[in-house]
Amino acid sequence: LERSGRRVRNELLWCSHLPDPSMRPPRVAFAIGRAHGPAVARNRLRRRLRPILSTLAAEGTLPPGHLLVGINRSMSTQVFAASAADLRVQLIDLIAKLVPRQAS
């Protein structure tokens, strides 16, 4: 992911993506280290992000391949305080940046 993956960011989150067309549903991992807060807060955030990503995968929104999702360093407090709707908007924004626009 680090060498070959494409990395995008937005206000709160970042994502690395390594495309693999044969991988459906995509594999998602999280990079939320100790610097972002106590384990309870980090695990709670992972539990909040997983169902959003599962829904996006079921809708076919997530691109196939490997995804690594993390928090922008300066935004830890805002991410932990964000609502589920805000997190969904942030994730959709990341995915839109990952997936090239289709010519219509």
Side-chain angles (χ1 to χ4, degrees):
L1 276 170
E2 188 175 335
R3 288 187 210 141
S4 303
R6 179 165 180 233
R7 189 168 178 164
V8 294
R9 346 177 133 250
N10 62 16
E11 183 183 349
L12 300 178
L13 304 170
W14 59 264
C15 179
S16 290
H17 176 247
L18 184 60
D20 183 354
S22 66
M23 190 168 292
R24 287 271 185 204
R27 306 252 176 167
V28 179
F30 299 98
I32 305 171
R34 285 190 223 169
H36 295 294
V40 172
R42 296 188 321 260
N43 291 335
R44 184 177 297 130
L45 180 62
R46 285 185 195 98
R47 285 192 304 269
R48 292 176 64 206
L49 290 172
R50 273 190 204 110
I52 297 168
L53 288 164
S54 293
T55 302
L56 293 174
E59 293 170 356
T61 306
L62 290 182
H66 300 275
L67 290 151
L68 181 64
V69 178
I71 301 172
N72 289 333
R73 288 187 191 267
S74 62
M75 295 301 203
S76 296
T77 308
Q78 289 87 345
V79 172
F80 292 128
S83 69
D86 291 338
L87 290 174
R88 181 177 171 86
V89 167
Q90 293 288 319
L91 287 168
I92 289 171
D93 178 51
L94 283 177
I95 294 162
K97 291 179 181 179
L98 279 176
V99 178
R101 293 189 180 194
Q102 300 293 328
S104 39

